[in-house]
Amino acid sequence: MIVYELTKIQITFIIVASIVGAVLLVIFAVLPLLRIYHKRNYKGYYYRKIYNYTLNHDFYLINNFVFKLDSKHNTVIDHMLFGEKFIYVIMDKYYEGDLTGNSYDPDLILIAKNGSKNYVDNPYVAFNKLLSRLSTVTGINTDLMIGITMVNDDCRMKIDSSSKQFFIIQRKRFKRLVDTIEQREVGMINAEALQKAVLTVNNLNKRDKLK
């Protein structure tokens, strides 16, 4: 029986080849599956991010707020986060590609991974109308509201905006954004007024969901 001993070079080659094979497996098999899973379950990922932030800061959170957009249509706000200085109106979005454009454009440009371009609704424009209607329904002053569109982390953005009220933010940057806004030199929402706002939204949500 002949026994072959492996040289150090052969052993090193086997180890390196195994590592490279594992990396390639992750890149070409595991990562695409993870992206598909994230796309299908992105709302759950966003919710956990917001929920954990709410717990850590002792804020109020109402999810899936249904209210009448007009006489014929209802709309759903994914999350309403009641902070100490502002009320954050948050919508969940998932984009397969990167966003570019101006905040005042009616549409933004979505650039897919293959380079193709498509137009998508501009969240800045949509939020401007949404908060106005929300203020009418709830009685909450629009100056107290911050509109946030939360998107997936792999969506890169090049959007020209100077707005201090409307934001498009990756999930991973949500905490930093809200922390920064809550540090603005403005007065805190009166505790009684905040509680009233929470109860108003909660009651409206229960009423409209029963219809």
Side-chain angles (χ1 to χ4, degrees):
M1 180 179 179
I2 301 176
V3 178
Y4 295 95
E5 293 185 2
L6 296 176
T7 65
K8 290 183 178 180
I9 294 178
Q10 289 173 320
I11 293 173
T12 301
F13 175 79
I14 292 172
I15 294 173
V16 172
S18 299
I19 294 173
V20 171
V23 171
L24 292 176
L25 178 63
V26 170
I27 293 174
F28 293 105
V30 178
L31 290 182
L33 290 176
L34 284 176
R35 280 195 290 269
I36 292 173
Y37 182 81
H38 287 171
K39 179 183 176 181
R40 292 178 177 176
N41 300 277
Y42 72 93
K43 285 184 175 290
Y45 282 97
Y46 296 0
Y47 166 74
R48 284 195 289 274
K49 186 75 171 183
I50 298 168
Y51 179 72
N52 288 336
Y53 185 88
T54 303
L55 289 181
N56 292 334
H57 291 76
D58 198 27
F59 288 172
Y60 296 97
L61 177 65
I62 293 177
N63 298 297
N64 301 317
F65 172 44
V66 180
F67 74 99
K68 279 189 172 297
L69 189 61
D70 53 45
S71 59
K72 296 182 179 179
H73 304 94
N74 286 350
T75 191
V76 179
I77 294 175
D78 294 310
H79 319 277
M80 287 190 68
L81 177 65
F82 298 80
E84 294 181 340
K85 296 182 178 180
F86 295 96
I87 297 170
Y88 302 88
V89 181
I90 307 167
M91 301 295 282
D92 299 336
K93 295 289 184 181
Y94 187 98
Y95 294 105
E96 290 191 276
D98 304 323
L99 291 174
T100 184
N102 291 289
S103 61
Y104 52 79
D105 290 337
D107 301 297
L108 295 178
I109 299 173
L110 178 65
I111 305 174
K113 302 302 181 184
N114 62 7
S116 63
K117 298 180 180 180
N118 293 287
Y119 289 101
V120 294
D121 292 339
N122 187 342
Y124 290 94
V125 176
F127 254 123
N128 192 33
K129 297 177 181 178
L130 179 63
L131 294 197
S132 178
R133 177 57 183 165
L134 182 61
S135 176
T136 301
V137 172
T138 63
I140 300 172
N141 194 314
T142 54
D143 291 340
L144 295 177
M145 299 185 200
I146 299 293
I148 298 176
T149 301
M150 185 182 289
V151 304
N152 40 305
D153 288 342
D154 58 347
C155 174
R156 295 175 298 180
M157 291 165 287
K158 189 178 181 181
I159 302 171
D160 186 12
S161 172
S162 59
S163 177
K164 294 183 179 181
Q165 187 176 24
F166 306 118
F167 301 89
I168 302 178
I169 194 75
Q170 294 168 318
R171 174 183 174 273
K172 62 185 177 183
R173 303 187 189 281
F174 172 77
K175 178 182 181 298
R176 183 184 299 177
L177 173 65
V178 178
D179 282 346
T180 300
I181 296 174
E182 284 290 306
Q183 291 171 6
R184 290 179 183 176
E185 294 184 359
V186 298
M188 295 174 61
I189 303 175
N190 176 273
E192 184 177 341
L194 181 61
Q195 185 67 26
K196 181 180 178 182
V198 173
L199 290 175
T200 297
V201 172
N202 192 49
N203 290 336
L204 284 171
N205 197 31
K206 290 179 179 178
R207 184 196 67 187
D208 289 336
K209 283 183 176 179
L210 291 174
K211 291 183 178 180

